[in-house]
Amino acid sequence: MTPIEQSAATRVAIVTGGSGGIGSAVAHALAANGMSVVVHYSGRADRAEKVVASIQEAGGAAVAVSGDVADETAMTALFDAAEERFGGIDVVVNTAGIMLLAPLAEMALDAFDQMHRVNVRGTFVVSQLAARRLRPGGALVNFSTSVTRLQQPTYAAYAASKGAVEAMTLILARELRGQDITVNAVAPGPTATPLFLEGKSPELVERIAAVSPLERLGTPEDIASAVAFLAGPGGRWVNGQVLFANGGVA
């Protein structure tokens, strides 16, 4: 029996940033598909534990583990914890990231470095461990953004960090030839998370929603469905791609 033919209940997923709006939706979606889930967080333990409790109440298996995604020692411990608790790793979803906005001419270099550390180095560290430790039949899903296509003012530094994520994702997919591991990225458009909605007037949110031909914002569940597809049996023939989950905004 090949790994993909095994019961979905035997599959194990790590979700970095699993306590956030999109990350928690991804954790729930993968758990609903029968996977055991390691919910990673870096700050709010209470949010991560709430996600774990919700999954467990629905009959799933989950555990919360903290760590800095850009720290290779902390992330090695995260992968160790997943293997020790559940026996192996089949799916890694890298939702952890930060977004700091300013015109390029005004962006503080400290802010640029902070975003680069989390979004680029963090993705690199987690991807490197995934490449070494995912079981055959596994999937790595990184996170980009539809802003890489939209050329919106104030997003230069953020889009640059996500452009780097796309580059490493597409190259890693080719480097893992022969290992039966898929590597893809999901690029969300405007998504109704608390972080996105914070500080925006209802009128501004309405204008942003109207940009999509579907005339609404995405939901965390919309993005989680795309991730679940790439992480599941239906996505096994999708490899080395960036999936724009944005309702048609770009």
Side-chain angles (χ1 to χ4, degrees):
M1 179 180 293
T2 67
I4 200 60
E5 293 170 334
Q6 293 176 0
S7 167
T10 68
R11 290 171 68 77
V12 179
I14 292 174
V15 181
T16 72
S19 63
I22 291 176
S24 62
V26 168
H28 280 100
L30 298 183
N33 285 347
M35 297 188 196
S36 300
V37 182
V38 177
V39 178
H40 160 268
Y41 66 97
S42 61
R44 293 286 299 274
D46 57 330
R47 292 181 181 176
E49 293 295 350
K50 185 176 179 179
V51 175
V52 168
S54 178
I55 290 172
Q56 292 174 339
E57 287 168 7
V63 62
V65 181
S66 67
D68 176 357
V69 290
D71 184 304
E72 63 272 28
T73 300
M75 289 301 96
T76 297
L78 173 70
F79 277 67
D80 289 344
E83 290 180 343
E84 291 167 6
R85 180 66 178 267
F86 296 120
I89 305 164
D90 302 285
V91 173
V92 173
V93 184
N94 227 346
T95 77
I98 60 174
M99 181 172 65
L100 305 174
L101 304 180
L104 189 148
E106 301 172 16
M107 170 67 74
L109 291 179
D110 285 348
F112 178 85
D113 289 343
Q114 180 187 1
M115 192 157 46
H116 188 280
R117 185 177 189 279
V118 177
N119 295 356
V120 181
R121 180 185 168 93
T123 298
F124 190 93
V125 167
V126 174
S127 295
Q128 186 176 71
L129 286 164
R132 294 171 177 172
R133 299 175 69 166
L134 279 169
R135 294 188 283 206
L140 168 63
V141 183
N142 287 326
F143 262 67
S144 181
T145 172
S146 290
V147 174
T148 56
R149 288 186 174 180
L150 297 177
Q151 295 86 49
Q152 289 178 262
T154 75
Y155 282 83
Y158 177 67
S161 74
K162 292 302 188 175
V165 168
E166 290 188 13
M168 72 176 78
T169 298
L170 302 186
I171 292 170
L172 180 57
R174 278 74 185 175
E175 291 180 344
L176 294 184
R177 172 182 291 272
Q179 297 189 41
D180 192 24
I181 293 170
T182 62
V183 185
N184 295 287
V186 171
T191 305
T193 64
L195 181 62
F196 174 83
L197 296 173
E198 183 179 357
K200 294 182 175 69
S201 68
E203 294 77 17
L204 177 57
V205 171
E206 186 176 342
R207 287 200 302 272
I208 295 172
V211 173
S212 166
L214 299 179
E215 298 185 332
R216 68 173 178 86
L217 296 177
T219 68
E221 290 72 26
D222 288 327
I223 310 307
S225 293
V227 173
F229 165 71
L230 292 173
R236 292 306 301 168
W237 194 235
V238 181
N239 189 30
Q241 305 297 320
V242 179
L243 176 57
F244 285 80
N246 59 26
V249 300

